[in-house]
Amino acid sequence: MTAMKTKRVGKQSAVLPSKPVILAGGSVAGLDEAKGPLGKYFDYLLEEDLFGEDSWEKCERKMFAEAVEIAINKAGKTKQDIDVLMGGDLLNQIISASFAARALGIPFLGQYGACSTMSQSMVVAAMLIDGGFSKYAACAASSHFATAERQYRLPVEMGTQKPVQAQHTVTGAGCAIMAAEGAGPKVTAITIGKVEDWGITDSNNMGAAMAPAAAETIRAHLTDLQLQPDHYDLIVTGDLGKLGRKLCLELLDEMNINVQGRFYDCGCEVLDSESDKHSGASGCGCSAIVFNGYLLPKLQRGEIKRMLFLATGALLSQTSVMQQDSVPSIAHAVAIEGQVN
Amino acid sequence: MTAMKTKRVGKQSAVLPSKPVILAGGSVAGLDEAKGPLGKYFDYLLEEDLFGEDSWEKCERKMFAEAVEIAINKAGKTKQDIDVLMGGDLLNQIISASFAARALGIPFLGQYGACSTMSQSMVVAAMLIDGGFSKYAACAASSHFATAERQYRLPVEMGTQKPVQAQHTVTGAGCAIMAAEGAGPKVTAITIGKVEDWGITDSNNMGAAMAPAAAETIRAHLTDLQLQPDHYDLIVTGDLGKLGRKLCLELLDEMNINVQGRFYDCGCEVLDSESDKHSGASGCGCSAIVFNGYLLPKLQRGEIKRMLFLATGALLSQTSVMQQDSVPSIAHAVAIEGQVN
C-alpha cells in the first residue's frame, strides 16, 4: 500500500493542500429573483417562468443545463473538458440534475442534500480535484418555485395562504467550475455535515429546522481547523431565512461563537424585502445563484478575502411529513480564499 | 499550488494507487430475498416486512441503519471511527438514507443514482480514501418492495398485474466499509458513468432502459484502462433483470466486448426463479445485498480474483413518466481485487 498523507483534520473536516480553483460561476434566475436586490448580478434572467418549455419541471432542468453551460463558457472550457458533473435539486429522484446531465453528456454523480446541494457538490468536487481524480468539475444545483410548490405543497392555483415562518422557493440554477489549475478563488478546506434534528415538525418552518445544522457545522469547522470566526470576512449560510438566521445566531451565541458583522444568509438577501415573501427565500437554487452570481465575483475581485460557504438543507419528504416525522437537516461547508491579483 | 500527480485515466476513469480496502460488508434482506437462492448469505433476514415499525418507510430506514451497523461491527470498528457515510435509496428525497444518517450520527453525503447508488457511493468513497480525506467510509443503499410500489406504482392492495418485462423491487439494505488500511479486497480503479437514454418510455421496462448505460460504462472502463474483459473473473451488473441482461449482452457483442462466462447480473440471481417475479429483481437494495452478502465474501476468500462491479440506475421519476419523458439511466463501475491471503 502506498504511504499516504492524511488530509483529514478533526472529526468532520479536511484540508486541500493543492487548493482547487473556482474558475467561473454561472447563474440563471427567475422573475422574482430578477426583481430582487441581487437581480443585476445574475448571468441570465428568465422572462417567463417556463423558459420556453411546456412544464415547470422542463424549465427547471433547462435552467440547470444553462447555468452549467454559462459557467463552462466563462471558464473558457468546453463540455468535453469537464470530467465530472456533481449536483442535484429538490425534485423527486433529482430529475432536474439527471435530465440536465443527459443533455450535457458529462460523467455525472448525482448529489442529494436538499438545499445544501450547492455546497455538498463543491465539497465532493474539491476533494476529487485535490486528490488528482478530476481536472475540471462542474458543481450545480437548481430549484423552481412552481415545481417545489406542486411537489411539496398545494396547487398554486388554490391560492393557499402560508404561515409567516414559511419561505419562498427560489427559481434559479447556479454552477461553479472547479479546477486543478488556473486563476481564481481557491478552496482551502471542507467540512462534511452531520444530520441534526431538534424536533421541528412544522414543515413550513424549515429555517428553524436548519438553524442547528448550520450552527453545528460552523462549530465543527472552526473546532476542526482551530480557527476563530474572525478568520473569515464572511460566513455565508444558504437559505435559513429571517427566522432561521435569527435562531442560528442565537445558537452560535450560546456556543460562544461570535459572528457579528460577518454573517450573511443568501435566503435573506435574494428577494425584494418589500414583496411579501414571509421569512425569505429557500431552495437549492437560492445559495446556488447567490454564490455563483453575487459572491463569487467578489471573491474573484479579492473584495472577500476569506469566506466560509455553507448551504443548508432540510431532509424532509412529503411522506416523512405525512408520517409525522420531524425535519432532519444538514449543512456542508467550503472554505474559500479570494483571488489575489 | 502543490504539484499533483493525476490519477485520472482516459475520459471517465481514475486509478487508486493506494488501493482502498473493503473491510467488511453488511446485508439485511426481506422475506422473498430470504427464500431466494442467496438467502443463506445475508447477515440479517426480516421476519416480516415492517421490521417492527409502523410503516414500510420506517422499516426501510431501519434496514439501512442496521446494515451499516452490521458492517461496522464486522469491520471491528465503531460508529465514531467512520468519517463519512455515503449512500442513498429510491424514496423521494432519499429519506431512508437521511433518516438512517440521523440515527447513526455519522457525517453524511447523500448520493442519488437510483439503483446505481451502491456502486456510486463506493466510487466516491474510494476516491476520498485514496485522496487521504477519509480513513473509514461507509457506503450503503436500500430499497423496499412496498415503499417502491406505493411511491412509483399503484397500491399493492389493488393487485394490479404487471407486464412480463417488469421487475420486482428488492427489500433489503447493504453496506460496505472502506478503509485506507487493513485486510480485505482492494478497490483499484473506478469509472464514473454518463447518462444514457435510448428512448425507452415504458417505465416498467427499466432493464431495457439501463442496458445501454451498463454496456457504455463497461466499454468506457475497458477503454480508459486499456483492459480486455478477461482481465476480470466477473463483471457484475446491478439489476438489469432477465431482459436487460440479454440486451446488455447484445450491445456488448456489437461493441466486440466478449464477456462470455464472466457476466453476472444481481437482479437475475437474488429471487427464486420459480416465484413469479417476471424479469427479475431491481432496486438499490438488489446490488447492495448481493454485493455485500454474497460477492464480497467470495472476494475476501480470494475465490474471485478480479471483479468489476457496476450497479445500474434508471433516473426516472413519477413526474418525468407522467410528462412522457423517456427513462435516462446510468451505471458507475468499481474494480476490485480479491483478497490475497
Side-chain angles (χ1 to χ4, degrees):
Chain A
M1 191 178 295
T2 313
M4 243 187 329
K5 207 184 146 194
T6 185
K7 297 167 187 171
R8 275 200 70 77
V9 181
K11 294 255 181 220
Q12 294 172 238
S13 304
V15 291
L16 307 162
S18 76
K19 297 188 182 178
V21 177
I22 304 173
L23 289 182
S27 52
V28 176
L31 280 76
D32 283 322
E33 295 70 22
K35 280 184 267 173
L38 306 181
K40 64 181 173 200
Y41 299 106
F42 305 128
D43 294 302
Y44 188 93
L45 301 175
L46 298 196
E47 286 165 17
E48 39 83 28
D49 66 359
L50 282 168
F51 206 178
E53 297 292 316
D54 62 8
S55 76
W56 294 315
E57 288 75 16
K58 289 179 184 171
C59 165
E60 185 177 333
R61 72 183 67 154
K62 188 174 169 184
M63 288 196 300
F64 190 112
E66 184 67 21
V68 175
E69 300 238 28
I70 291 170
I72 292 173
N73 285 337
K74 285 168 79 177
K77 298 291 159 194
T78 67
K79 280 182 276 188
Q80 288 69 38
D81 294 322
I82 311 298
D83 303 320
V84 63
L85 168 63
M86 226 118 19
D89 58 278
L90 291 173
L91 296 189
N92 300 341
Q93 290 72 51
I94 61 166
I95 50 170
S96 309
S98 300
F99 280 78
R102 179 182 77 175
L104 293 161
I106 303 170
F108 174 59
L109 292 170
Q111 303 296 306
Y112 188 77
C115 306
S116 75
T117 301
M118 188 67 221
S119 64
Q120 176 175 327
S121 300
M122 292 172 70
V123 159
V124 179
M127 291 190 280
L128 299 200
I129 288 172
D130 185 76
F133 306 106
S134 171
K135 279 183 81 170
Y136 299 102
C139 311
S142 69
S143 55
H144 190 300
F145 172 72
T147 64
E149 287 301 305
R150 122 149 119 195
Q151 178 180 285
Y152 286 107
R153 300 178 191 101
L154 293 160
V156 177
E157 294 82 351
M158 282 176 68
T160 313
Q161 294 244 333
K162 289 189 181 182
V164 287
Q165 69 274 27
Q167 292 169 251
H168 179 95
T169 307
V170 158
T171 299
C175 174
I177 305 297
M178 223 183 269
E181 294 182 345
K186 292 169 193 294
V187 180
T188 56
I190 59 94
T191 299
I192 300 173
K194 287 185 185 179
V195 177
E196 297 290 333
D197 188 335
W198 287 29
I200 299 286
T201 50
D202 173 6
S203 64
N204 275 303
N205 198 354
M206 292 193 287
M210 296 190 295
E216 288 292 350
T217 298
I218 292 168
R219 171 157 71 178
H221 179 81
L222 297 174
T223 307
D224 286 350
L225 288 135
Q226 301 188 318
L227 294 173
Q228 294 300 317
D230 63 3
H231 177 78
Y232 293 104
D233 301 349
L234 214 56
I235 295 176
V236 176
T237 51
D239 58 348
L240 296 177
K242 290 175 205 165
L243 179 60
R245 181 185 194 279
K246 184 170 171 291
L247 293 170
C248 184
L249 288 171
E250 284 177 20
L251 290 170
L252 289 170
D253 216 40
E254 283 177 20
M255 295 171 179
N256 290 314
I257 296 171
N258 179 3
V259 296
Q260 194 84 41
R262 60 190 80 245
F263 193 83
Y264 180 99
D265 180 63
C266 303
C268 291
E269 308 292 339
V270 71
L271 295 169
D272 184 353
S273 59
E274 297 300 301
S275 71
D276 187 18
K277 294 300 190 291
H278 298 352
S279 197
S282 66
C284 294
C286 177
S287 61
I289 61 172
V290 176
F291 177 79
N292 290 292
Y294 178 63
L295 297 167
L296 182 58
K298 285 181 173 284
L299 286 158
Q300 287 167 329
R301 292 191 298 266
E303 291 167 28
I304 302 172
K305 300 218 177 345
R306 285 193 288 253
M307 178 174 127
L308 188 68
F309 172 58
L310 61 158
T312 43
L315 304 169
L316 78 174
S317 82
Q318 270 220 313
T319 308
S320 74
V321 170
M322 286 194 287
Q323 295 188 0
Q324 285 155 16
D325 277 311
S326 52
V327 181
S329 294
I330 200 159
H332 304 288
V334 188
I336 309 168
E337 276 178 5
Q339 189 166 352
V340 184
N341 292 303
Chain B
M1 191 179 293
T2 314
M4 241 187 333
K5 208 184 145 194
T6 185
K7 296 167 187 172
R8 273 200 72 77
V9 181
K11 295 253 181 223
Q12 295 171 237
S13 304
V15 291
L16 307 163
S18 75
K19 298 188 181 177
V21 177
I22 304 172
L23 290 183
S27 53
V28 175
L31 280 76
D32 283 323
E33 295 69 22
K35 280 184 266 173
L38 307 181
K40 65 181 172 200
Y41 299 106
F42 304 129
D43 293 301
Y44 188 94
L45 301 174
L46 297 198
E47 285 166 18
E48 41 80 28
D49 66 0
L50 282 168
F51 204 178
E53 296 293 316
D54 61 7
S55 77
W56 294 315
E57 288 75 15
K58 289 179 183 171
C59 165
E60 185 177 335
R61 72 182 67 153
K62 188 173 170 183
M63 288 196 301
F64 190 111
E66 184 68 21
V68 175
E69 299 237 30
I70 290 169
I72 292 173
N73 284 339
K74 284 168 79 177
K77 298 291 159 194
T78 67
K79 281 183 274 188
Q80 288 69 38
D81 294 323
I82 310 299
D83 303 320
V84 61
L85 168 64
M86 226 120 16
D89 57 278
L90 292 172
L91 296 190
N92 300 342
Q93 289 73 51
I94 60 165
I95 49 169
S96 310
S98 300
F99 279 78
R102 178 181 76 175
L104 293 162
I106 302 169
F108 173 59
L109 292 169
Q111 302 297 306
Y112 188 77
C115 306
S116 75
T117 300
M118 189 66 221
S119 64
Q120 176 175 326
S121 300
M122 291 172 71
V123 159
V124 179
M127 291 190 280
L128 299 201
I129 287 172
D130 185 76
F133 305 106
S134 172
K135 280 182 80 170
Y136 298 102
C139 310
S142 69
S143 55
H144 191 299
F145 172 72
T147 65
E149 287 301 305
R150 116 151 123 196
Q151 178 179 286
Y152 286 106
R153 300 177 191 103
L154 293 162
V156 177
E157 294 81 351
M158 283 175 67
T160 314
Q161 294 244 334
K162 289 189 181 182
V164 287
Q165 70 272 28
Q167 294 170 251
H168 178 95
T169 307
V170 158
T171 298
C175 174
I177 304 297
M178 222 184 270
E181 294 182 343
K186 292 169 193 294
V187 181
T188 57
I190 59 93
T191 299
I192 300 173
K194 286 185 185 179
V195 177
E196 297 291 331
D197 188 337
W198 286 30
I200 300 287
T201 51
D202 173 7
S203 64
N204 274 304
N205 198 352
M206 292 194 288
M210 296 191 294
E216 288 293 348
T217 298
I218 292 169
R219 170 157 70 177
H221 179 83
L222 297 174
T223 306
D224 286 349
L225 288 135
Q226 302 188 318
L227 294 173
Q228 295 301 317
D230 62 4
H231 177 77
Y232 294 104
D233 301 349
L234 213 57
I235 295 176
V236 177
T237 50
D239 57 347
L240 296 177
K242 289 175 203 164
L243 179 59
R245 180 184 194 280
K246 183 170 171 291
L247 293 170
C248 185
L249 287 170
E250 283 177 21
L251 290 170
L252 289 170
D253 215 41
E254 283 177 20
M255 296 172 180
N256 290 314
I257 295 171
N258 179 4
V259 295
Q260 195 82 42
R262 58 188 83 245
F263 193 82
Y264 180 99
D265 180 63
C266 303
C268 292
E269 308 292 339
V270 71
L271 294 171
D272 184 354
S273 59
E274 297 300 302
S275 71
D276 187 19
K277 295 298 189 291
H278 297 353
S279 198
S282 66
C284 294
C286 176
S287 61
I289 61 172
V290 176
F291 176 79
N292 290 292
Y294 178 63
L295 297 167
L296 183 57
K298 285 180 173 286
L299 285 157
Q300 286 167 329
R301 291 190 299 265
E303 290 168 28
I304 303 172
K305 299 218 175 348
R306 283 192 291 254
M307 177 174 128
L308 188 67
F309 172 59
L310 61 157
T312 44
L315 303 169
L316 78 172
S317 82
Q318 270 219 313
T319 308
S320 74
V321 171
M322 286 194 287
Q323 295 188 0
Q324 285 155 16
D325 278 310
S326 52
V327 181
S329 293
I330 200 158
H332 304 288
V334 188
I336 308 167
E337 276 178 5
Q339 188 165 353
V340 184
N341 291 303

